[in-house]
Amino acid sequence: MSNSRKTAVAKRVQYGALPYRLPAGRRRPQFMLITSRESRRWVIPKGWPKKGKSPQYSAAREAFEEAGVVGAVGRRAVGSFAYEKRLKNGVVVICHVRVFALEVTRQSRQWPEKQERVVKWLSASQAAEKVSEPRLSQIIRRLARRYD
């Protein structure tokens, strides 16, 4: 029996940023999503730990590289979710993503992955609907409730 998909080998940790902003004159936050490079799904900026750097730093760095945003990153994770990631060698790994809220203060005009992704600001309900991972959807809705 042939299986074109290689099986998951191990769990790996990633750190993600959930960028949000409070537009002037509005009570409710907006959340930023980006498209993944391969599948073009709506995701948050995330990536591998940076050696010698804190999880928060790694999350904030990914937010800049993938979406050009900078701001205040939370000290504690606001939640976590898991997803399957296909590596360049074809192996699929389960990634456990620790998510840190990032209150965006500005977005650069240029950033490393600008040409590779689409960036979109959405309401909490829109963002929660667009992501594929139910736990990430819950994190978005829970963070938005802080402003109710």
Side-chain angles (χ1 to χ4, degrees), residues 10 28 46 50 64 74 78 86-87 112 118 124 129 136:
R28 295 180 181 258
K46 60 191 173 307
K50 307 282 187 248
F64 176 75
V78 292
R86 183 177 303 277
L87 302 178
V118 175
E129 290 295 321
L136 178 54

Side-chain angles (χ1 to χ4, degrees), residues 12-33:
R12 305 266 307 264
V13 172
Q14 287 189 321
Y15 300 120
L18 178 54
Y20 72 97
R21 67 183 180 190
L22 294 165
R26 296 183 60 180
R27 276 190 19 225
R28 295 180 181 258
Q30 290 180 318
F31 294 87
M32 175 187 275
L33 296 180

Side-chain angles (χ1 to χ4, degrees), residues 23 93 104:
V93 295
V104 174

Side-chain angles (χ1 to χ4, degrees), residues 49-61:
K50 307 282 187 248
K51 191 170 181 72
K53 301 295 183 182
S54 70
Q56 305 91 305
Y57 173 89
S58 295
R61 183 72 200 159

